[in-house]
């Protein structure tokens, strides 16, 4: 099930008062709307409530016949389709791994990803996107999906021993999609899906992408490709997309992503822009954030590059790896191996060029802009920082008489928000950004009080943490990649009961506890075995 139930519960975002009986027949995919009225003791009936709605997404079996598309060399997929008149609802179900950017008729539908970070051998979460108002009747609709390696980059995020590497799939960048319309007759029809033979693939304008290192984009390639072979300057760059063979795609269960998607929550202009060296500028956005920088209406020469390098702080005295600090220059030592660099190659378009990275993210306050020989002269209006994270709503507004306490609360909220990237991570800037369980354990109650975390935590426990349990033991990191061990340090694996308790205590949600009860009991037994060893 994906979507939101209206109504109350123990608190905002908690369990709804109305429940669908677990032994009742399964609801078919679609949107269900209802209103509630009450009968008073004297027989009067109240006015109906505002409509509430529930959307039931596709089950795993309803993806049969919808294969994965993917390639080691192609990273853009395009299709066209027709929409009949009289469609009542139109929903795009899509899972683009690892990162993805989806456009329908020129409208961008998402930020960063359409799929949460999971261990893809076990679970593949997909987005449920309402696209009814974007569809055209009487002319072709164009759907374009750009893919990045994201969390499936196995050079950066190596799956650790004990997890099912073979079922993860050999191809890193893959997509599976199905667009379903409900007609006025009540019939449902698939308008497009990745197995209908109408998709084309190309090597897109994103020529390199990495969670840690950034994105490289060539606008000249974008102009030649168009949004498909039907309007490309160079249609020969497109070829028919072939479904992946079994073993090349992830084998995990297709599961509706019933948690807040990554969302842009703020657009920030620079508070200062300096020019410390020829061709080199530094923008200060006045606050630390997670996201990317958009370049607005640049006039630049064809084939030249604009290079953005991100940093949290400026150089200052006392840094261990800087012999002579230059306070006008950014400091990147704490990023370790992460290059945090985005590169834009200009097309030379006369009306100016606007671009933002869509397949990476950075943690930063300062951005160094190297204009090389592009002819660009940066101004504040040319730069916009886009702050994004999982779209959990802020539920607490705290104000103290102490400026120090107010500042501490602001820093805590900002740090937690920046590290919610479909899962809770440990940092957002250096070459790590992993799901360390200890960080989630220590912060679970605070996050539950600060944000509307019930759907986020419920998804994380059920579909990220529990599939990683082996004989009672959990790993230090979920998904279990790159670092850590299994069994985890006790204070790390404590994240499971800590998060389940926080969701219950703050929101009155007992379902997550019930779902995790046997896993928690097995974890306690495992800890007992470790203690006696």
């Amino acid at each position: 099930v994906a979507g939101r139930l209206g109504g109350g519960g123990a608190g905002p975002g908690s369990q709804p008062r109305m429940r669908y009986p677990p032994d009742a027949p399964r609801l078919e995919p679609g949107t269900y709307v209802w209103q509630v009225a009450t009968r008073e003791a004297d027989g009067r009936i109240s006015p109906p409530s505002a409509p509430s709605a529930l959307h039931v997404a596709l089950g795993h079996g309803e993806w049969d016949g919808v294969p994965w598309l993917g390639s080691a060399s192609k990273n853009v997929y395009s299709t066209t389709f027709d929409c009949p008149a009289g469609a009542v609802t139109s929903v795009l179900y899509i899972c683009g791994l690892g990162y993805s950017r989806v456009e329908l008729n020129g409208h961008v539908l998402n930020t960063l990803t359409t799929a949460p970070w999971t261990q893809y051998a076990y679970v593949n979460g997909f987005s449920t996107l309402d696209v009814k108002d974007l569809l055209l009747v009487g002319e072709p609709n164009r759907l374009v999906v750009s893919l990045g390696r994201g969390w499936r980059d196995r050079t950066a995020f190596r799956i650790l021993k004990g997890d099912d590497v073979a079922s993860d799939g050999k191809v890193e960048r893959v997509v599976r999609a199905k667009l379903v319309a409900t007609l006025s007759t009540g019939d449902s029809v698939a308008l497009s899906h990745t197995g209908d033979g109408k998709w084309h693939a190309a090597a897109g304008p994103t020529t390199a992408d990495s969670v840690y290192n950034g994105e490289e984009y060539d606008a000249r390639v974008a102009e030649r490709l168009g949004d498909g072979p039907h309007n490309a300057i160079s249609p020969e760059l497109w070829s028919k997309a072939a479904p992946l063979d079994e073993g090349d795609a992830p084998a995990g269960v297709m599961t509706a992503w019933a948690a807040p998607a990554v969302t842009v929550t703020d657009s920030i202009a620079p508070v200062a822009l300096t020019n410390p060296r020829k061709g080199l500028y530094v923008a200060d956005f006045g606050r630390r954030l997670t996201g990317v920088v958009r370049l607005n209406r640049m006039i630049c020469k064809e084939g030249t590059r604009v290079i953005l390098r991100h940093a949290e702080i400026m150089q200052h005295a006392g840094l261990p790896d800087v012999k002579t600090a230059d306070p006008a220059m950014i400091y990147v030592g704490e990023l370790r191996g992460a290059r945090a660099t985005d590169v834009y190659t200009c097309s030379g378009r006369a009306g100016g060029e606007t671009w933002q990275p869509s397949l990476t993210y950075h943690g930063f306050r300062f951005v160094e802009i190297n204009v090389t020989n592009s002819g660009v002269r940066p101004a504040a209006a040319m730069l916009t920082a886009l702050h994004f994270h999982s779209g959990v709503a802020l539920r607490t507004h705290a104000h103290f008489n102490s400026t120090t306490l107010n500042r501490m609360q602001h820093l805590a909220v900002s740090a937690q928000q920046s590290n919610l990237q479909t899962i809770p991570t440990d940092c957002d800037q250096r070459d790590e950004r992993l799901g360390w369980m200890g960080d989630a354990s220590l912060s679970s109650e605070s996050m539950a009080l600060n944000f509307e975390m019930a759907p986020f935590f419920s998804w994380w426990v059920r579909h990220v943490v529990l599939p990683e349990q082996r004989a009672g033991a959990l790993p230090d990191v979920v998904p279990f990649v790159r670092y850590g061990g299994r069994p985890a340090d006790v204070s790390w694996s404590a994240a499971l009961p800590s998060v389940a308790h926080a969701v219950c205590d703050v929101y009155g949600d007992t379902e997550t506890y019930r779902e995790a009860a046997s896993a928690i009991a097995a974890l306690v037994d495992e800890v007992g075995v470790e203690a006696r060893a």
Side-chain angles (χ1 to χ4, degrees):
V1 174
R4 288 181 180 270
L5 279 167
S14 61
Q15 303 171 83
R17 291 196 178 99
M18 183 209 144
R19 293 187 179 281
Y20 190 71
D23 56 347
R26 181 184 182 275
L27 292 173
E28 293 297 315
T31 300
Y32 297 82
V33 180
W34 70 89
Q35 294 175 280
V36 176
T38 59
R39 184 184 298 276
E40 307 296 337
D42 60 5
R44 288 180 300 139
I45 297 177
S46 71
S49 66
S52 296
L54 167 70
H55 184 82
V56 177
L58 301 180
H60 180 72
E62 284 143 341
W63 287 92
D64 291 347
V66 182
W68 292 94
L69 303 178
S71 166
S73 59
K74 308 291 179 67
N75 57 355
V76 177
Y77 295 81
S78 174
T79 190
T80 59
F81 61 91
D82 295 322
C83 178
V88 177
T89 65
S90 300
V91 177
L92 173 63
Y93 303 102
I94 184 165
C95 179
L97 302 175
Y99 289 163
S100 53
R101 181 179 190 265
V102 184
E103 295 178 70
L104 177 59
N105 295 328
H107 298 274
V108 179
L109 304 185
N110 70 300
T111 299
L112 190 65
T113 186
T114 52
W117 193 1
T118 61
Q119 200 69 291
Y120 306 110
Y122 313 126
V123 176
N124 290 294
F126 62 86
S127 288
T128 303
L129 306 176
D130 181 355
V131 297
K132 177 180 180 297
D133 294 338
L134 301 178
L135 293 181
L136 306 174
V137 177
E139 56 183 297
N141 292 272
R142 298 183 175 93
L143 180 62
V144 182
V145 182
S146 302
L147 298 177
R149 289 180 172 83
W151 299 303
R152 280 181 65 79
D153 182 346
R154 290 307 170 217
T155 301
F157 302 101
R158 180 176 58 88
I159 298 174
L160 295 180
K161 184 178 179 180
D163 272 4
D164 192 345
V165 177
S167 296
D168 183 72
K170 299 175 185 176
V171 179
E172 292 176 338
R173 296 173 298 194
V174 295
V175 61
R176 199 177 192 184
K178 186 175 185 178
L179 201 163
V180 178
T182 302
L183 307 180
S184 56
T185 60
D187 296 325
S188 292
V189 57
L191 303 184
S192 178
H193 65 82
T194 45
D196 61 16
K198 299 178 182 179
W199 288 72
H200 289 77
T206 297
T207 56
D209 69 273
S210 163
V211 177
Y212 299 148
N213 297 329
E215 181 175 339
E216 298 183 17
Y217 185 94
D218 191 334
R220 298 169 300 177
V221 176
E223 292 206 342
R224 290 198 295 269
L225 286 176
D227 59 8
H230 48 275
N231 69 353
I233 295 173
S234 304
E236 70 277 4
L237 297 177
W238 292 91
S239 60
K240 279 279 190 179
L244 286 174
D245 294 332
E246 186 176 349
D248 288 341
V253 175
M254 297 295 290
T255 306
W257 182 16
V262 175
T263 305
V264 175
T265 58
D266 211 353
S267 300
I268 306 160
V271 297
L273 181 63
T274 60
N275 183 197
R277 297 178 186 173
K278 184 179 179 180
L280 207 64
Y281 297 77
V282 175
D284 176 3
F285 288 96
R287 53 172 282 200
R288 200 193 171 290
L289 59 106
T290 298
V292 296
V293 170
R294 184 177 66 217
L295 300 171
N296 306 308
R297 300 181 298 280
M298 288 188 303
I299 303 296
C300 54
K301 302 173 188 175
E302 181 182 357
T304 60
R305 302 192 304 168
V306 176
I307 303 170
L308 306 177
R309 198 161 61 130
H310 303 73
E312 294 182 290
I313 60 175
M314 303 293 286
Q315 292 182 24
H316 59 80
L319 293 169
D321 54 343
V322 178
K323 291 182 179 180
T324 304
D326 183 348
M329 302 299 292
I330 62 172
Y331 174 71
V332 296
E334 89 283 9
L335 302 183
R336 301 191 304 207
R339 293 200 297 270
T341 301
D342 299 325
V343 180
Y344 179 79
T345 301
C346 303
S347 67
R349 191 181 308 125
E353 307 181 36
T354 296
W355 174 73
Q356 68 189 59
S358 56
L359 302 172
T360 191
Y361 75 96
H362 312 286
F364 65 97
R365 170 177 168 174
F366 301 94
V367 176
E368 175 190 275
I369 306 107
N370 185 344
V371 299
T372 64
N373 61 340
S374 64
V376 172
R377 294 185 178 180
M382 196 190 89
L383 304 164
T384 304
L386 303 175
H387 179 40
F388 57 71
H389 51 85
S390 292
V392 294
L394 189 66
R395 75 188 300 265
T396 299
H397 298 272
H399 182 77
F400 306 96
N401 291 330
S402 166
T403 302
T404 300
L405 288 178
N406 285 328
R407 184 63 179 160
M408 289 174 63
Q409 171 67 4
H410 170 76
L411 291 172
V413 167
S414 178
Q416 290 171 357
Q417 191 180 60
S418 291
N419 279 290
L420 297 176
Q421 300 291 337
T422 79
I423 67 167
T425 62
D426 64 313
C427 64
D428 61 356
Q429 80 290 62
R430 63 178 180 262
D431 57 349
E432 199 163 350
R433 311 186 208 181
L434 301 173
W436 284 102
M437 296 273 276
D439 300 67
S441 180
L442 288 171
S443 302
S444 57
E445 184 179 18
S446 176
M447 286 192 286
L449 291 170
N450 283 324
F451 299 103
E452 198 50 70
M453 293 294 294
F456 181 101
F457 273 153
S458 178
W459 166 271
W460 182 71
V461 166
R462 296 178 184 186
H463 302 298
V464 184
V465 178
L466 295 187
E468 293 283 17
Q469 193 170 39
R470 304 284 183 277
L474 289 168
D476 291 299
V477 176
V478 295
F480 192 29
V481 296
R482 191 162 185 186
Y483 295 132
R486 185 194 282 124
D489 181 284
V490 173
S491 58
W492 265 239
S493 60
L496 175 57
S498 295
V499 168
H501 177 75
V503 171
C504 178
D505 187 49
V506 176
Y507 310 113
D509 176 1
T510 58
E511 289 302 309
T512 302
Y513 240 144
R514 289 193 182 100
E515 188 87 12
S518 60
I520 293 172
L523 176 63
V524 172
D525 290 343
E526 166 61 25
V527 171
V529 171
E530 293 175 39
R532 291 189 294 271

